[in-house]
Amino acid sequence: DSLGGSLQRIASGIRLNRSGDDIAAMSVSENLRGDAIALKQGSRNLNDGLALVSMIDGALNEQAGILIRLREISSQSATGTIGDTERATLNLEFSALRSEFDRIAATTEFNDRKLLDGTMSASSSKTTVLQIGLDSGTNNRFNLNRELNLNAVTSSAMSFNTSSISTETSAMKAMDSLSLAIDKLVTVRGRVGAVQNRLEVAFDALNSQIESINGGIATLRDADLAEEFAEMTKRQVLVQGAAAMIGQANLIPQSVLTLLQEQ
């Protein structure tokens, strides 16, 4: 039995093949395995959260480009060196880009969840919570709505939905509105960037924790092959010695019988 156990541990590389091998170590290792599996799912949840935040950041980046272009053509329209025809053309581009700004806000989504229409605000009834730990405690859950507090990023929310650059005066007003909108968007992107960085740090920390737990499990469960080979060799010698002794013991009656026959 002992030799068979050694062979099994060497073949599998696992010291704890059944509960009876080491009851205490088996209990601890099973608890650690459960923790590791839960944390691995938490790591996947965090990765999904990072993908969601990255999508938000990408959409905001496109909207920022639109705002910069809108302010550029507003400045162009506000100058007195162009005529009404040029301003009308610029106003067409202004309207088209503003519509695209709102389209991005309306269509940016992750797994059927809208991201820029106000759904990700702290006051939204639809919350996005990342479960990253072992229980439902506050420190093991990450509320993206509360951290991002992302209100609707639309021309209406940014207060330039009624702007026009068809005249010099309206173009100057549009420039002021767009400057404020850019400032708002910069603040939003700063908050998104902070959350993104925090999630990345949490992701790395969680994976480090998982690696440490797996190391502990390996210490408890994995066989020490050097020790097992030494034990196997010892037990092989014992088995071979026992077999030899049994063979010698079986020869004794035959020897006695031979002596009696000779007499």
Side-chain angles (χ1 to χ4, degrees):
D1 284 347
S2 297
L3 178 59
S6 292
L7 291 172
Q8 183 182 28
R9 287 188 287 274
I10 291 172
S12 66
I14 298 175
R15 183 174 71 89
L16 303 178
N17 288 290
R18 56 191 183 87
S19 298
D21 291 336
D22 189 332
I23 298 174
M26 178 66 76
S27 175
V28 173
S29 69
E30 286 300 293
N31 286 331
L32 289 177
R33 283 180 64 196
D35 290 349
I37 291 171
L39 291 177
K40 283 179 182 178
Q41 182 58 54
S43 177
R44 289 190 287 269
N45 295 342
L46 258 180
N47 199 43
D48 290 342
L50 274 168
L52 183 150
V53 175
S54 294
M55 183 171 288
I56 291 174
D57 187 57
L60 292 176
N61 183 59
E62 294 301 320
Q63 288 184 311
I66 290 174
L67 287 178
I68 292 171
R69 175 57 181 165
L70 288 176
R71 189 166 64 172
E72 179 186 4
I73 60 177
S74 296
S75 176
Q76 186 178 359
S77 182
T79 188
T81 59
I82 65 171
D84 293 339
T85 301
E86 289 82 4
R87 284 196 181 92
T89 302
L90 290 172
N91 194 54
L92 287 175
E93 182 182 356
F94 187 95
S95 297
L97 288 176
R98 182 172 56 200
S99 296
E100 179 59 17
F101 187 95
D102 288 335
R103 189 197 69 80
I104 292 173
T107 60
T108 301
E109 60 180 52
F110 183 89
N111 196 21
D112 296 329
R113 178 179 289 276
K114 301 292 185 181
L115 302 179
L116 301 180
D117 66 344
T119 301
M120 296 301 298
S121 69
S123 60
S124 174
S125 59
K126 298 180 180 179
T127 57
T128 302
V129 178
L130 302 179
Q131 176 63 42
I132 61 176
L134 298 175
D135 54 45
S136 60
T138 303
N139 291 332
N140 291 319
R141 295 167 66 81
F142 196 93
N143 190 317
L144 285 178
N145 287 70
R146 184 177 62 244
E147 300 297 332
L148 290 170
N149 193 19
L150 190 60
N151 295 315
V153 188
T154 62
S155 62
S156 176
M158 295 288 185
S159 302
F160 69 95
N161 58 313
T162 59
S163 299
S164 169
I165 60 172
S166 58
T167 66
E168 187 175 339
T169 301
S170 63
M172 288 189 291
K173 290 182 179 179
M175 286 182 63
D176 293 337
S177 298
L178 290 166
S179 294
L180 293 174
I182 290 173
D183 289 342
K184 290 179 181 178
L185 195 61
V186 167
T187 300
V188 170
R189 291 198 70 184
R191 195 158 57 245
V192 170
V195 171
Q196 196 170 26
N197 289 339
R198 182 180 175 187
L199 288 179
E200 287 174 352
V201 171
F203 182 77
D204 291 340
L206 191 57
N207 285 335
S208 177
Q209 186 179 356
I210 293 169
E211 185 177 350
S212 297
I213 291 175
N214 284 334
I217 294 172
T219 300
L220 290 168
R221 296 180 65 87
D222 291 356
D224 184 336
L225 293 181
E227 180 182 348
E228 291 298 337
F229 273 114
E231 287 295 319
M232 182 188 71
T233 301
K234 182 181 75 173
R235 287 162 182 160
Q236 283 178 328
V237 170
L238 291 173
V239 168
Q240 291 168 1
M245 291 304 98
I246 291 173
Q248 290 298 320
N250 288 336
L251 290 175
I252 292 175
Q254 296 179 12
S255 299
V256 173
L257 181 61
T258 300
L259 288 174
L260 291 175
Q261 290 173 344
E262 289 177 354
Q263 290 178 357

